[in-house]
Short mmCIF file of all heavy atoms in Angstrom, two decimals:
data_model
loop_
_atom_site.label_atom_id
_atom_site.label_comp_id
_atom_site.label_asym_id
_atom_site.label_seq_id
_atom_site.Cartn_x
_atom_site.Cartn_y
_atom_site.Cartn_z
N VAL A 299 -18.53 27.52 15.15
CA VAL A 299 -17.79 27.85 13.93
C VAL A 299 -16.49 28.55 14.29
O VAL A 299 -16.36 29.17 15.36
CB VAL A 299 -18.62 28.75 12.99
CG1 VAL A 299 -19.89 28.05 12.55
CG2 VAL A 299 -18.96 30.07 13.66
N GLY A 300 -15.53 28.44 13.39
CA GLY A 300 -14.24 29.08 13.60
C GLY A 300 -14.23 30.52 13.15
O GLY A 300 -15.24 31.06 12.64
N GLU A 301 -13.09 31.14 13.29
CA GLU A 301 -12.95 32.54 12.89
C GLU A 301 -13.16 32.70 11.39
O GLU A 301 -12.79 31.84 10.60
CB GLU A 301 -11.55 33.05 13.27
CG GLU A 301 -11.29 33.12 14.77
CD GLU A 301 -9.91 33.65 15.09
OE1 GLU A 301 -9.20 34.05 14.12
OE2 GLU A 301 -9.54 33.67 16.27
N ASN A 302 -13.78 33.82 11.02
CA ASN A 302 -14.00 34.21 9.62
C ASN A 302 -14.99 33.32 8.88
O ASN A 302 -15.14 33.45 7.66
CB ASN A 302 -12.67 34.22 8.86
CG ASN A 302 -11.64 35.15 9.47
OD1 ASN A 302 -11.97 36.27 9.87
ND2 ASN A 302 -10.40 34.68 9.58
N VAL A 303 -15.68 32.43 9.59
CA VAL A 303 -16.71 31.61 8.95
C VAL A 303 -18.05 32.35 9.05
O VAL A 303 -18.56 32.57 10.15
CB VAL A 303 -16.83 30.22 9.61
CG1 VAL A 303 -18.00 29.45 9.01
CG2 VAL A 303 -15.53 29.44 9.42
N GLU A 304 -18.59 32.73 7.91
CA GLU A 304 -19.84 33.49 7.88
C GLU A 304 -20.97 32.75 7.17
O GLU A 304 -22.13 33.12 7.28
CB GLU A 304 -19.60 34.84 7.18
CG GLU A 304 -18.56 35.71 7.88
CD GLU A 304 -18.30 37.00 7.13
OE1 GLU A 304 -18.81 37.14 5.99
OE2 GLU A 304 -17.58 37.87 7.66
N GLU A 305 -20.62 31.69 6.45
CA GLU A 305 -21.60 30.98 5.62
C GLU A 305 -22.60 30.19 6.46
O GLU A 305 -23.76 30.04 6.08
CB GLU A 305 -20.86 30.05 4.66
CG GLU A 305 -21.74 29.37 3.65
CD GLU A 305 -20.92 28.52 2.68
OE1 GLU A 305 -19.78 28.92 2.35
OE2 GLU A 305 -21.41 27.47 2.28
N VAL A 306 -22.15 29.65 7.60
CA VAL A 306 -23.03 28.90 8.49
C VAL A 306 -22.85 29.42 9.90
O VAL A 306 -21.84 30.05 10.23
CB VAL A 306 -22.73 27.38 8.45
CG1 VAL A 306 -23.01 26.80 7.07
CG2 VAL A 306 -21.28 27.10 8.85
N GLU A 322 -15.29 30.34 -5.27
CA GLU A 322 -14.48 31.50 -5.68
C GLU A 322 -13.60 31.24 -6.90
O GLU A 322 -13.26 32.17 -7.62
CB GLU A 322 -13.59 31.93 -4.51
CG GLU A 322 -14.37 32.29 -3.24
CD GLU A 322 -13.44 32.45 -2.04
OE1 GLU A 322 -12.24 32.14 -2.20
OE2 GLU A 322 -13.92 32.89 -0.98
N ARG A 347 -6.93 23.25 4.26
CA ARG A 347 -6.15 24.49 4.13
C ARG A 347 -4.72 24.34 4.62
O ARG A 347 -3.80 24.90 4.02
CB ARG A 347 -6.85 25.63 4.89
CG ARG A 347 -8.21 25.96 4.28
CD ARG A 347 -8.97 26.99 5.09
NE ARG A 347 -10.37 26.99 4.70
CZ ARG A 347 -10.88 27.81 3.77
NH1 ARG A 347 -10.12 28.70 3.17
NH2 ARG A 347 -12.17 27.73 3.45
N VAL A 378 -15.36 24.75 5.97
CA VAL A 378 -16.61 25.28 5.44
C VAL A 378 -16.78 24.97 3.95
O VAL A 378 -17.91 24.91 3.44
CB VAL A 378 -16.71 26.80 5.70
CG1 VAL A 378 -15.70 27.57 4.84
CG2 VAL A 378 -18.12 27.31 5.48
#
Side-chain angles (χ1 to χ4, degrees):
V299 298
E301 294 181 5
N302 303 317
V303 175
E304 299 177 352
E305 186 177 326
V306 296
E322 302 169 353
R347 296 175 196 267
V378 70

